[in-house]
Amino acid sequence: MSAHRAKRPITLIAAAAALSVATSAALAQDKTFELKLSHWVPPTHPLQKAMEEWGASIEKASNGTIKSKVFPSQQLGKAFDHYDMARDGIADLTYVNPGYQPGRFPIISAGELPFLVGDAKGGIRAIDAWYRKYAPSEMKDVKYCFSFILDPLTWHSSKKKIVVPADIKGMKVRPSQATVAAWVTLLGGTNVQASATEVRDVMEKGVAEAVTFPWGSVPLLGVDKVTKYHMDAPLHTVTFQWLMSPRTYTAMSAAQKKVIDDHCTTEWAGKFADPWGISSTRVWPRSKPSPGMRSTRSPTRSSTNGRSRPSHWRSSGPTTSARPAAIRMPS
């Protein structure tokens, strides 16, 4: 009896080894893919490295049958077109801001509501875990990989200090997403449409006077050169998706699809986006301000993770009371 029991672990190990060999052999016989990974921020952005590392992990897991190349700076298409680029196979994977297309994705827009997220790390995992059950219906034209968010955004302006909601009246604002655009309109401001990489240009030309950005993106995209006033208070965030062309995914073998699926998880959402969130919290406002730069705080606020949360803004427009009960972002 004891000899029989001793043989069982050896048998299981042998079976696992045989399965591993069989899987490796299957991958070795698979068609080789060269994935085009597209985004619209500069190659110096933390997402460039995140995409390279994601692609490298997939190449290793697929025994070299799934390779990839990252195309930054809108090389394959405009920022506003990246969802359709994945749908139509122009790129194999794309970085998407659903807020660039107001009204098209109403469910994920719940993640854009002000004062919903206290920090990026908890928010990234919460938004992906929540949205996974809705993505197959709302984004049915693509293969959903994962969602992530920015570190909370705040106001940055060129000509006028922004402290309370009434300060927005009459201002030209580049909103980060559709919910903020509605908020700006409610407050009497005018919206200026531009992608994140175009913000410096529109502000330099006076087309826009203010923007909501995370602190890290201010120097990264040169917005510190065209802004003078900055509010140190977390207002809202922006949701993003990492999406795949369904044509590419369908053309893969079962083993290759498993590799992709294993890299389209909430865990990978964190690995992918955490470095960007960390870089945002490290850079501003802890760094030395540029000449003429002024940082302001709302006169009425409560503390959240050591950061101000202005109550005047909470009552000025879209509120978190409208969010589905299922969304509970960790602060």
Side-chain angles (χ1 to χ4, degrees), residues 5-121:
R5 288 178 178 174
K7 288 180 180 179
R8 289 184 64 187
I10 297 174
T11 303
L12 291 172
I13 293 171
L19 179 61
S20 176
V21 170
T23 301
S24 298
L27 284 168
Q29 296 171 6
D30 285 336
K31 173 184 175 183
T32 298
F33 287 83
E34 306 248 357
L35 303 183
K36 292 178 288 186
L37 316 184
S38 180
H39 67 85
W40 31 270
V41 289
T44 52
H45 195 285
L47 285 180
Q48 172 78 18
K49 184 178 180 182
M51 292 177 191
E52 290 171 350
E53 291 178 348
W54 185 87
S57 180
I58 281 187
E59 182 171 353
K60 181 179 180 181
S62 67
N63 289 337
T65 66
I66 307 176
K67 304 178 186 298
S68 62
K69 181 180 179 180
V70 180
F71 292 84
S73 306
Q74 305 184 97
Q75 289 179 15
L76 299 183
K78 292 291 185 182
F80 300 96
D81 297 330
H82 269 56
Y83 179 89
D84 293 332
M85 287 165 56
R87 180 195 65 189
D88 299 337
I90 295 171
D92 298 299
L93 285 113
T94 62
Y95 162 54
V96 173
N97 178 348
Y100 280 170
Q101 299 188 40
R104 187 174 182 182
F105 307 105
I107 297 175
I108 192 60
S109 68
E112 301 173 349
L113 289 167
F115 309 109
L116 190 63
V117 176
D119 69 90
K121 187 170 183 178

Side-chain angles (χ1 to χ4, degrees), residues 124-135:
I124 289 166
R125 289 150 179 82
I127 196 71
D128 182 69
W130 166 73
Y131 190 59
R132 281 191 171 272
K133 59 178 171 262
Y134 301 108

